[in-house]
Amino acid sequence: MRMWIYIVRRMILLVPIIIGVMTITFVLVNALPSYDHLVAVYGDPPRQRPWLYDPTVACNLLNSSMPADKQCVNPYYHNLAAPLGIGENPVTAWSQYMYRSLTFQWGTVSNDSTAGKTVPLIQGQEVTTVLAWYLPYTLELAIFALIIILLIAIPLGNLSAVYRNRPVDQASRVMSFSGYALPSFLLGSLLILGFVLLLGSGHSYYAHPPWCTSGEPTYNEFTGSWPVQACFAGGNYPSWLNQGVVTSPTGFPTVDAAIHGQYWLSLDTLARMILPALVIAFGSIAILLRFVRNSMLEVMNLDFVRTARAKGVPESVVVKRHAGRNSLNVTVTVLGLTFAFFIGGFPIIEDVFHLNGIGYILALSIQQTQAPLDFGLIFGSTLLFTYVVVIANCVVDVTYALLDPRVRLG
Amino acid sequence: MATDPSTAAAPLTGSPTEPVPPAPSGRRPNPRLEQYKRTWFFLRRNTLALIGLGIIVMLVLIALYAITQPIPWNGLPECTASNNQVVKFTETGLPGGTSWSITINGVTSSTSGNNVTFSLASGPAYKFTVGNVTGYHASPASGTVNVAGAPITEKITFIAGGAVSGSSSGAASPGSSASLPSCSVCTYPVGTPVPGPNCYQTPKNVPGVIAPTVSLHPLTLGALPMGSLALQPDIPYFYNVYNGMLRGTDYSLLISFAIVIVGAFVGLFLGAVSGFFGGAVDETIMRLVDIFLSIPQLLFVIIVIAVVSTTYPGGLFGLSDLDTRVLLLISAFMIVWWPYYARIVRGQVLVVREQKYVEAARASGAGKGRIVMKHIVPNSMYPVFIQMSLDVGAIPILIGTLVFLGFTIWPTPYFPEWGTIAAFGTSDVIGQFLIGCEAGICVIPWWQMVFPGLALFLFAISVNFLSDGLRDALDPRLRR
Amino acid sequence: MAARVETPSSDVPLPESTPVPEPLSPTDTPSPPADDADVVLRIKDLRTYFFTYDGVVKALDGVDLKIRRGQTTGLVGETGCGKSVTAFSVMRLIPDPPGRILGGKVLFDGGDILWGLDKEATFTPIKGTNRVKISRSFRRIRRATERMSAVRGRGIGMIFQEPTQAMNPIFTISNQISETLLLHRGIEIVDGIMGMKPDNPAVAVALEGMVQASQRGKSGELRVAAEKLGEAAQLPSVGTQAYALFRAAGRDVEGARADVQNVLRGLKPSGLERSYLHHRKRLMELTDQLDDVYLREMRGEAGLGGARNRLRAKIRIEKLTHLHFGLWGIRGRAKRALERETFWRSVQLLEGMSIANPVQVARGFPFELSGGMLQRVMIAMALSAEPKILLADEPTTALDVTIQAQILELMRELKTRVGTAILLITHDLAVIAEVADRVCVMYAGTIVEEGEVHEIFRRPLHPYTQGLLASIPRLDRPDQEFTSIPGSVPNLIYPPSGCRFHPRCPYAMPVCKGDRPPVTIEGDDHAVACYLYKGPVRAD
Amino acid sequence: MSLSDDPNTAQVVISTHNLRKYFPIRGGLLSSHIGDVRAVDGVSFDVYDGETVGLVGESGCGKTTVGRLLLRLIEPTSGHTFYRPTPETVARLDRLYASVERMPRDNGGRVAAGQSASLKELDEIAEQYSLYRKSSGEMRKLRGKLQIVFQDPFSSLSPRMLVRDIIAEPMAIHHAGTRAERYQRVADLLREVGLNPEHEWRFPHEFSGGQRQRLGIARALSLRPEFIVLDEPTSALDVSVQAQVLNILRKLQTEQKLSFLFISHHLSVIRSMCQRVVVMYLGKVVEQAPTEEVFSRPLHPYTQALLSAIPIPDPELKRERIVLQGDVPSPAAPPSGCRFHTRCPAVLPICPRVDPPLIEVRPNHRVACHLYPNPIAKESAADLAVTASAPVATTVPATAS
């Protein structure tokens, strides 16, 4: 009963955060020059009418009977700009922006952007559609990485608290600090480099796993998540594969492959996620490890741990049951706090390892020196990442309440 | 010792009847010095913290040295392979972001920046033409350059309006910006004999990639001690990693400290206000903190910089391009950074606010300003210092990450900042072996990522060691 | 085997005057003196130091103490005199580092709890400095901790000052009591579950008796009938449960009968569950045997290393070979039987602490209960293993006067009912006067006076005791001028030489500054450490 | 409200009337206001010049909140605290409050129109004397006269300030004297509380609990106050040190004509320190009388139980005690009627329904209990006999030793 109230209250707290995040993006989008703003929303102007987003235009383009040297007001521009609130008062513009955001009209992918050119099938698509295609890839990697984080950070943190200032603790301390200090792009590259040196020709393994016997090892930049096409029957990716247009049941590559009976493909997909997941986990482990250790040290000094010892509870049980369960709350909280950091690492990792996913799309869309950037994709994926963080924080808080009876019942 | 009440023995034995033992040596004791001594005592026992401290001191010394050295940031020695020469075209008159192009020797290169650079074999004269830009005409629109022993800079001026004017020709003299210090090294392809002294082997016949030229016995540094960094493998000029690292020390340190200090100030102020006043102010600030903390910080920085530099392509407040970008970077990071500090400070203030000494001050009639400044802020500072010291190490890494993602933050692609160098080096290495190298001659330019990466790593980890040591030394609960 | 690890933590300044402590020589036979058969715990020359930044805090410096069977011994003294450290040292709960027991003996159950202490760490002074380096043998310290599990809980129980802090906040009360029960009386519980007879015809008769008692509406009769039901089922907790069900049902007697029958039907474990319970029992037996070995080790028996290692290996194998219970999901089901049993046993225990609504309390979490209630729970928990000694560390200090009165009432009642020897640590002489039989007065890490309670209050000998008694504001003697002992408790880093009280003592003599005063016997069971008294010096 | 027989001899320093402090509890879906913790619920008493009033009660009864309210460290929900009202004002206040309390209320709880005159008059007095009507500037000036000493000697001194700065801070706030004069006074104050003036160069953590408490007293004295709230000043101290602090307090009171509100749960200390005692239970005053009255003839069952619960440091003395059952109820949901009825050994049928008023049943002895229903005329006070149903207080034994 109380728990129910707690959850609903937590949900209500989401509202101001989501509104706030949208307002920030609103401010930023509206700070853009109107041309870029229009491109972000409607995509590139059609090839026949490149002047579509200009406020004024040579009159003969609108009406061939008009003279070419005169500038006329562009009515198309105004039709397009009005719904975005360009040039109107901020409140109207804000409410229009909110409406479009909440109805998932997040803009259109530009044809000329690096992402638009590189990733197949996304040119001119709705941003939300593209994000929906590639979200499962990122989520799968995130879940995999989270499992790694929890499996490593909690036991290691407990261990280094129990053996404080002993070799285990020192080693975990150095490891944790390395996690802070090693940029993930460097760590990822070093790992790839290491495997290249280890396996001889890493790139060919990457594109061309051992079980794949046919086809030339060609490098295809966007298929870091999959082996080359030639490895598949008929030399083509199967139609159910999530390669843009989703025809697959779930969109999650591992699950899809398993559903279609291609278990080797499932395993291969998982194997491809090991390195990136390790790299992305490393940074979060670093943070979590310190917090687990410190909270464990704190809990171990509390009175109830002394009580447990005085009762005759063996030391291992004291650590696991009494101290461990209590420090778990801190772990969960910190996990929530670092979730933004964790999610923010995905563009880099997916870029380094050339994995399909929203991070990769985002990385591509900012990877251009020539303006204009693909602001539709950039804002869209940032919004999505933010929502993932917000929802994760909500889940974390509820988990915290479930773990701690004082929150659950009090 | 705090765990057991009975050890909290009273150090003083004073009483109404008995005099207190006098101060040790007659002079007035300095109690603050005692506290520093105590902190130093605990810090000294932490080997890792000492190592960290040593490295940081060393880096600061290097930074001080680098500031005194006349290495301009945009004049990093662009080393040129001896058989090729750089021809640089500089544009003036076009609005920022407008694309223009140059064709020379049958090769066309276009850019929206100010410079186009070609690498051409020495000897002949080359013809160039400037591509058309709508609404502008170029002066000169075409011409000839004589490539001789020195790099050449040719200036192109675009004038708005009008038709394209006639061509001008003539041998371009070395440009006025040829004062850039340069270092010429002799390169030779793998498998060919060494041409002479100061010549270095290049893999794949790419003159831009040269391994470290340090020789340990006897110790000589060579022209490129840490090797070269080539932005594009096929052009003949490249950067000196060693000089970049040296010059980067003070840029990296200064930018990191500036960002952290600004962020901490804003956070300290807002956190203290939020914690002390509570109520609606607190609610508002904390919701803001929640909002900012939900947005992944790197993405936020990217968006802010992208939007501002798209909206104001010419720079802000009439500042130079570099200053604008540094200002932008600091502000963008500050916007994502303050919430962390605000949260820490608020938590601390909430604890301190409830302390009885604050209430005692109120009972004596102290105003809010006095309470905040005299009691609350001094007692909430330690966690902020520790967090600051942690964050200083993270900034170069984040900048490197931005650059690695391909995001343009500096006016030139190669900027002497550790993160930037590491990012370029790493992406080059990754590019090399993802694209693949020909059988037999596969040299991975590891030095490009290892040396700058090591600098980043050492800086961040030593800062971490130090702040961890400080936390242990300052936190009475963790003391033993 | 790098058993000894140099710890940087020990690099603390040691004042010039401090001798490097010498541990007691291990050749002393730890057999208790024959004259005192009544003594259950005997502390001899206990020394515990804390090595801190400021210096070495000599928290305990030669404490001698006896706890007699069935008696309440009061340990009284001011903050920082080391009374809690004494209790923690006995339980070996001193946080190490910074604390370290340096020497002495704690004789309990025929053995020395501090057995092997001198091998756990070595102290080497750093030349040219006033510091000492401590090299701890973590292996031996871990072994000592393991050994303590044979003593803690079932040998010596302990309750603490802050009951709200001393309970684990995330487990229910019953959960925490059950843990103790399973640890110390697990075999009995498992035997009870396996040997119970819910089908026994006597059970039906007893249930009928309960129904009738309930119809008559007499709760006393109902309780007796419930106990009979427990006996018939050969599982006392069934009685408690049935009693609670009948009480909860009120007038709906038939419903309660059906409930009880349901409970009885669900009691019998299935075959697989029984095999899990067997495994649990086997584990407990092995652990008990290991504890026995440890106890024998403490008593000074040699050559037990082999037996100990064999048992440890057996326990490990037993744990490994029964992993499959987890896989089959049997563990959860079988554990439920254990949980049910321990829950009702803890309800029983709580009832014994005169808690009005034991079932509700047992289901609750610590934060839902008041301090007084939690202190009762703590006492129930400590007594559930039926320890020989209960160490009560300021059990009523954090409580209000009216609640303190309740707890003291309870402790007095328990003293007669259970017969556990109690060491009551408090700073409040009034509490001592209310409950204790004997009193030990502590000052600055030493015991200054010891004796029967009436004797101490009637005829306090040591000037410190006299001062302490005089400085209590008396409700029954108002308007007195407040008397105090001049000065304050000494800093234990630099304790005064000789008698530690001499700087504050009104009768201080030159001799007091020299050596520590011997403990002299002044009258029947009254000993004092003061040069003012010339009685015979106490033998040990 | 005055208790003094001749109010002309002693001036009232602090007079508090119907003081209430409710802390809101927020909960439910929207953190709406779902109830109140009634920490202080209608407390009235006076403190005279040079007098020590004891405020007794168990933890959570609101005694500390009363202390903070009297100094306006927190704002009350309702009620007034008058600072130095003139004797005439005191008399007027008594009359006005008596009439306000007797006022019949209509259905809406509003006061009938005819009697709003009293309220208006009260308002006028409040405007002049009530602390809660002072502007912040006036209040700041008054703060020098009203001071507080806290219970916890460890958190009440700022760990980062030198002793001299801590003690001189109140003077610095009020710009009293020059810097040199202030520090000179710090040295005097330190001597006054029995510390060595050399101590001013130390940090608080270098002192023991008793010494820190003396530092706290020195700080409170620095502005020469008239009224000091002593919030459990000795409960964190050892007995042997406690007496030192108490003696200093007594000495200061006689030397400087200070008035104290001595908040404590320690009845023995109260008995020796105070002239009058106010006993609180769950935010309400249950008994109020001169010290000797309370200890020799406690009337309220709670006071009786409290007295009997105190252990006496004398093993020879065996006495009957009243052991109260159960715990103190939560002030968030106080019992209806008399708040003590859930634990009262002599509960009457009326107790759960009606909250007993605080009435004078013996001269200067006020009790809020249904066992004593009638205010006794002062003349017949000598004949007062405790109602038969009242538990005969076993209470304090004759001096035993």
Side-chain angles (χ1 to χ4, degrees), chain C residues 17 48 87 190 206 220 225 350 452 489:
Chain C
S17 58
T48 302
V190 174
L350 292 178
E452 201 268 332
V489 183

Side-chain angles (χ1 to χ4, degrees), chain C residues 136-194:
Chain C
R136 293 181 168 82
S137 162
F138 287 101
R139 198 172 51 87
R140 283 181 194 279
I141 290 176
R142 199 170 63 230
R143 180 63 46 80
T145 318
E146 265 179 42
R147 217 167 35 233
M148 280 313 288
S149 66
V151 176
R152 288 179 189 161
R154 87 180 69 176
I156 308 175
M158 188 158 181
I159 57 177
F160 298 94
Q161 179 170 1
E162 286 274 0
T164 43
Q165 310 286 313
M167 301 285 289
N168 196 327
I170 56 169
F171 296 127
T172 58
I173 300 295
S174 73
N175 222 320
Q176 301 188 45
I177 301 180
S178 301
E179 191 181 22
T180 326
L181 282 173
L182 277 179
L183 266 173
H184 300 301
R185 297 168 70 180
I187 297 176
E188 183 189 322
I189 289 170
V190 174
D191 277 346
I193 294 175
M194 306 231 281

Side-chain angles (χ1 to χ4, degrees), chain C residues 51-349:
Chain C
F51 297 85
T52 69
Y53 166 77
D54 298 296
V56 182
V57 181
K58 300 169 194 65
L60 294 186
D61 213 1
V63 168
D64 287 290
L65 193 68
K66 285 176 198 164
I67 299 176
R68 297 220 169 91
R69 181 161 298 139
Q71 268 192 350
T72 301
T73 308
L75 187 58
V76 71
E78 290 176 290
T79 314
C81 72
K83 48 194 195 304
S84 295
V85 179
T86 310
F88 290 146
S89 298
V90 168
M91 294 294 265
R92 299 219 55 178
L93 286 173
I94 299 281
D96 177 14
R100 179 99 221 120
I101 303 173
L102 293 183
K105 287 180 179 182
V106 178
L107 302 176
F108 170 73
D109 206 5
D112 181 7
I113 286 177
L114 303 181
W115 182 81
L117 183 73
D118 50 324
K119 295 197 185 72
E120 284 172 16
T122 53
F123 302 82
T124 29
I126 303 170
K127 270 207 181 124
T129 67
N130 57 353
R131 295 172 197 284
V132 63
K133 191 141 209 126
I134 309 177
S135 316
R136 293 181 168 82
S137 162
F138 287 101
R139 198 172 51 87
R140 283 181 194 279
I141 290 176
R142 199 170 63 230
R143 180 63 46 80
T145 318
E146 265 179 42
R147 217 167 35 233
M148 280 313 288
S149 66
V151 176
R152 288 179 189 161
R154 87 180 69 176
I156 308 175
M158 188 158 181
I159 57 177
F160 298 94
Q161 179 170 1
E162 286 274 0
T164 43
Q165 310 286 313
M167 301 285 289
N168 196 327
I170 56 169
F171 296 127
T172 58
I173 300 295
S174 73
N175 222 320
Q176 301 188 45
I177 301 180
S178 301
E179 191 181 22
T180 326
L181 282 173
L182 277 179
L183 266 173
H184 300 301
R185 297 168 70 180
I187 297 176
E188 183 189 322
I189 289 170
V190 174
D191 277 346
I193 294 175
M194 306 231 281
M196 70 190 158
K197 298 202 170 62
D199 321 327
N200 199 340
V203 169
V205 176
L207 184 57
E208 199 47 46
M210 279 193 82
V211 170
Q212 282 163 12
S214 179
Q215 274 159 351
R216 278 197 294 277
K218 292 192 177 151
S219 85
E221 274 182 40
L222 187 63
R223 181 176 291 276
V224 173
E227 272 164 26
K228 270 186 194 153
L229 178 68
E231 277 165 33
Q234 299 192 348
L235 195 63
S237 68
V238 172
T240 323
Q241 195 172 358
Y243 178 68
L245 282 171
F246 269 91
R247 285 298 295 272
R251 303 206 169 274
D252 182 17
V253 178
E254 282 311 311
R257 184 219 290 266
D259 286 346
V260 173
Q261 277 165 348
N262 262 339
V263 167
L264 288 171
R265 233 173 276 138
L267 277 181
K268 261 209 129 88
S270 72
L272 279 170
E273 286 169 15
R274 286 177 80 86
S275 72
Y276 172 76
L277 290 174
H278 268 300
H279 149 65
R280 279 297 288 259
K281 188 180 167 191
R282 172 95 184 114
L283 256 181
M284 290 166 183
E285 281 168 354
L286 286 172
T287 318
D288 273 6
Q289 287 170 21
L290 187 60
D291 282 352
D292 275 345
V293 170
Y294 283 140
L295 282 175
R296 276 159 62 196
E297 237 175 26
M298 284 186 199
R299 287 186 198 118
E301 258 182 65
L304 288 171
R308 187 184 63 211
N309 290 342
R310 270 197 301 284
L311 275 168
R312 285 158 63 92
K314 270 188 196 167
I315 289 175
R316 202 164 299 147
I317 290 166
E318 187 72 19
K319 277 183 181 164
L320 280 177
T321 50
H322 284 77
L323 276 178
H324 61 276
F325 286 120
L327 300 179
W328 294 350
I330 294 165
R331 195 181 295 175
R333 259 184 293 151
K335 265 188 176 169
R336 238 161 282 149
L338 279 178
E339 266 163 29
R340 192 179 48 222
E341 173 65 16
T342 49
F343 176 83
W344 289 105
R345 275 183 188 243
S346 37
V347 170
Q348 250 174 340
L349 282 166

Side-chain angles (χ1 to χ4, degrees), chain D residues 75-191:
Chain D
E75 298 289 332
T77 307
S78 71
H80 285 295
T81 298
F82 303 98
Y83 172 68
R84 287 219 172 276
T86 57
E88 304 85 68
T89 319
V90 173
R92 263 171 81 201
L93 278 174
D94 285 349
R95 180 174 54 75
L96 288 171
Y97 270 103
S99 85
V100 168
E101 252 155 48
R102 260 185 277 112
M103 277 180 197
R105 312 227 162 197
D106 63 15
N107 292 339
R110 276 164 298 165
V111 178
Q115 282 150 328
S116 63
S118 311
L119 284 180
K120 200 177 262 174
E121 203 180 336
L122 252 181
D123 216 45
E124 278 164 23
I125 299 175
E127 208 56 60
Q128 200 179 348
Y129 292 105
S130 174
L131 289 183
Y132 310 127
R133 297 284 178 89
K134 303 276 186 211
S135 71
S136 65
E138 288 171 322
M139 198 60 219
R140 186 172 296 188
K141 273 183 212 132
L142 273 180
R143 293 231 180 263
K145 302 286 167 208
L146 310 169
Q147 277 295 332
I148 184 164
V149 174
F150 293 101
Q151 166 179 14
D152 181 3
F154 289 90
S155 85
S156 62
L157 306 172
S158 178
R160 285 184 205 295
M161 281 167 88
L162 286 173
V163 161
R164 64 191 325 231
D165 294 325
I166 291 174
I167 296 178
E169 196 189 12
M171 295 186 276
I173 292 167
H174 289 267
H175 308 291
T178 62
R179 248 179 109 82
E181 282 167 9
R182 277 183 229 149
Y183 289 136
Q184 182 51 46
R185 175 142 172 81
V186 168
D188 295 344
L189 283 168
L190 283 175
R191 221 169 279 128

Side-chain angles (χ1 to χ4, degrees), chain B residues 253-466:
Chain B
L253 294 191
L254 281 177
I255 291 174
S256 310
F257 280 109
I259 288 171
V260 165
I261 288 171
V262 172
F265 256 107
V266 175
L268 188 65
F269 175 72
L270 288 177
V273 164
S274 164
F276 184 70
F277 289 98
V281 178
D282 183 31
E283 265 310 297
T284 316
I285 294 180
M286 287 332 282
R287 287 293 84 75
L288 267 181
V289 165
D290 282 349
I291 291 165
F292 279 98
L293 285 182
S294 307
I295 308 177
Q297 41 176 302
L298 211 58
L299 306 186
F300 197 68
V301 172
I302 287 174
I303 291 184
V304 171
I305 299 182
V307 167
V308 177
S309 53
T310 308
T311 313
Y312 304 99
L316 286 168
F317 315 123
L319 292 172
S320 76
D321 202 12
L322 176 66
D323 290 348
T324 310
R325 280 160 190 278
V326 170
L327 180 73
L328 210 56
L329 199 66
I330 291 176
S331 338
F333 268 110
M334 189 271 285
I335 291 174
V336 296
W337 227 270
W338 72 267
Y340 291 91
Y341 289 101
R343 198 173 239 186
I344 293 169
V345 172
R346 176 179 173 269
Q348 193 69 17
V349 167
L350 284 183
V351 174
V352 174
R353 192 181 68 166
E354 296 306 318
Q355 297 292 311
K356 289 291 174 202
Y357 56 81
V358 173
E359 196 160 344
R362 274 205 310 135
S364 305
K368 283 184 175 136
R370 188 190 173 91
I371 289 176
V372 170
M373 294 314 296
K374 280 242 165 188
H375 295 280
I376 289 187
V377 169
N379 284 302
S380 324
M381 285 302 278
Y382 272 153
V384 177
F385 279 137
I386 286 163
Q387 185 64 33
M388 277 171 78
S389 60
L390 274 175
D391 288 346
V392 162
I395 302 273
I397 292 177
L398 287 178
I399 293 178
T401 310
L402 284 178
V403 174
F404 185 84
L405 276 177
F407 190 66
T408 322
I409 36 176
W410 304 117
T412 53
Y414 182 75
F415 184 78
E417 194 275 333
W418 293 345
T420 313
I421 304 176
F424 275 121
T426 310
S427 57
D428 189 36
V429 174
I430 288 288
Q432 292 253 349
F433 62 81
L434 276 188
I435 291 165
C437 41
E438 280 104 52
I441 332 161
C442 189
V443 174
I444 295 164
W446 54 269
W447 55 90
Q448 296 182 351
M449 71 187 215
V450 166
F451 291 118
L454 204 62
L456 280 187
F457 178 75
L458 276 184
F459 178 48
I461 207 167
S462 51
V463 151
N464 272 302
F465 283 152
L466 184 64

Side-chain angles (χ1 to χ4, degrees), chain C residues 78-79 370 400 402-404 406 430 433-434 454 457-458 473-478 481-485 487 504, chain D residues 58-59 238 240 242-244 247 250 268 271-272 295 311-316 321 324 326-327 343 399 401:
Chain C
E78 290 176 290
T79 314
S370 67
D400 275 322
T402 53
I403 309 297
Q404 166 173 308
Q406 294 172 0
E434 297 258 328
H454 291 88
F457 277 86
R458 200 186 306 123
R474 298 283 294 255
L475 198 56
D476 46 349
R477 289 181 219 147
E481 178 62 21
F482 295 117
T483 45
S484 68
I485 308 174
R504 300 173 78 186
Chain D
E58 291 178 282
S59 58
D238 279 319
S240 75
Q242 163 177 300
Q244 296 171 359
N247 284 333
R250 268 190 180 172
S268 327
R271 177 164 211 189
S272 311
F295 284 89
I312 303 273
D314 193 341
E316 320 267 312
R321 36 158 100 240
L324 291 179
D327 285 314
R343 301 171 77 197
T399 44
S401 60

